[in-house]
Amino acid sequence: MGVTETDKGVIINTESGSSAEIYYYGAHVVSWKSGGKERLFMSSKSALDGSKAIRGGIPVVFPIFGPPPTSPPEYASLSQHGFARNQIWKLDKIIMDRPEGISIRFLAPSPPESFQHKYKLAYVITLSEHQLCTDIHIINEDEKEFKFQTLLHTYLAIPDYKKIKISNINKGTTYKDKILDGKLVQSDGEDIIIDKPIDRVYHKVPSQEIFVDDGAGSGYKVRFRGFEDVTVWNPTEEVGKGIADMEDKGWEKYVCIEPGYVREFKSLAPGEEFLGQQVLTVL
């Protein structure tokens, strides 16, 4: 039980039998087991050797979401979703190691030389019997304003994407529909089903809680704080079969519910801190 370091990362186990594995590469959560089941999807075709970003689990997106903006120059030169998921993080501290739960903190390394900003980026992962909490902490250590986007690209494991229902996104919530070339749409408040590709960024979701009914008597509650936006994504076969590191029919086994701050850039004054929290609960 407790905290075990390996050559690739850290494994945490509670007395209740739940566990999580986090790689140093990207501080990437690659496994979360609760109730005897794996709760995160990982593509069997994903590279796990540090050669490219990992497909599945919980990637950390920072300091941009999606393709880079055209300006300023240090952002325009970044790769998709930024560099945090491709960096080697380190285990900084075991915050708590008790029978009922374990909490550990990772620290990101310095940014690439071309990215001229000073900040501290920490990631706290807390595991209990039926819950996994992941917190992003960002402190602006510069003497000037720091702007960024951040998101947790969570792949929740499900039995069959065709049977799930996603609920509790408030009626009237605006979302950007990437399938419709970024068209802005207002949510009708109805449950979401996946019968075609879906790629929506919901802006400033009032409820800050989303429920996933997996259609098999279980599911998840995704609660978030600090993070105000949430992306819902599943490519279905139509798009999924074109993803190089996606296993065959992998899109049938997950839905991405991704809390973040991505509708615009978050701005921190010198010394100011941002905390974005995701709490995943098995229902």
Side-chain angles (χ1 to χ4, degrees), residues 4-11 20-30 42 46-51 54 87-91 104 106:
T4 304
E5 290 196 66
T6 71
D7 58 339
K8 289 187 175 182
V10 179
I11 299 172
E21 183 174 7
I22 307 95
Y23 277 17
Y24 297 124
Y25 181 68
H28 199 118
V29 182
V30 296
M42 285 284 294
S46 178
L48 297 175
D49 59 359
S51 61
I54 296 170
Q87 291 183 298
I88 304 299
W89 298 50
K90 68 177 182 180
L91 177 63
I104 59 177
F106 284 81

Side-chain angles (χ1 to χ4, degrees), residues 39-60:
R39 303 296 177 172
L40 298 175
F41 168 83
M42 285 284 294
S43 173
S44 60
K45 293 177 67 176
S46 178
L48 297 175
D49 59 359
S51 61
K52 61 182 296 187
I54 296 170
R55 174 71 65 185
I58 309 179
V60 175

Side-chain angles (χ1 to χ4, degrees), residues 37 44 250 255:
K37 295 181 180 180
S44 60
V255 63

Side-chain angles (χ1 to χ4, degrees), residues 185-197:
V185 183
Q186 284 199 334
S187 170
D188 59 12
E190 299 294 324
D191 291 352
I192 299 168
I193 61 171
I194 300 175
D195 53 5
K196 57 187 175 182

Side-chain angles (χ1 to χ4, degrees), residues 134-194:
T134 48
D135 299 350
I136 291 285
H137 298 253
I138 301 165
I139 300 175
N140 181 8
E141 296 185 329
D142 218 329
E143 295 180 356
K144 59 182 184 292
E145 177 188 48
F146 176 42
K147 294 183 178 181
F148 63 88
Q149 294 173 316
T150 186
L151 171 141
L152 296 176
H153 200 309
T154 308
Y155 289 72
L156 294 174
I158 53 174
D160 184 349
Y161 79 108
K162 294 179 181 178
K163 297 180 180 179
I164 71 169
K165 292 181 180 179
I166 301 164
S167 63
N168 209 40
I169 295 178
N170 309 73
K171 183 178 180 179
T173 301
T174 299
Y175 65 89
K176 179 186 288 187
D177 195 325
K178 294 186 177 181
I179 303 298
L180 299 179
D181 297 321
K183 180 181 178 181
L184 292 178
V185 183
Q186 284 199 334
S187 170
D188 59 12
E190 299 294 324
D191 291 352
I192 299 168
I193 61 171
I194 300 175

Side-chain angles (χ1 to χ4, degrees), residues 251-270:
W251 50 86
E252 297 181 357
K253 304 171 188 175
Y254 73 84
V255 63
C256 282
I257 307 292
E258 313 166 29
Y261 199 108
V262 296
R263 70 186 181 278
E264 57 190 12
F265 278 79
K266 176 67 175 177
S267 178
L268 293 183

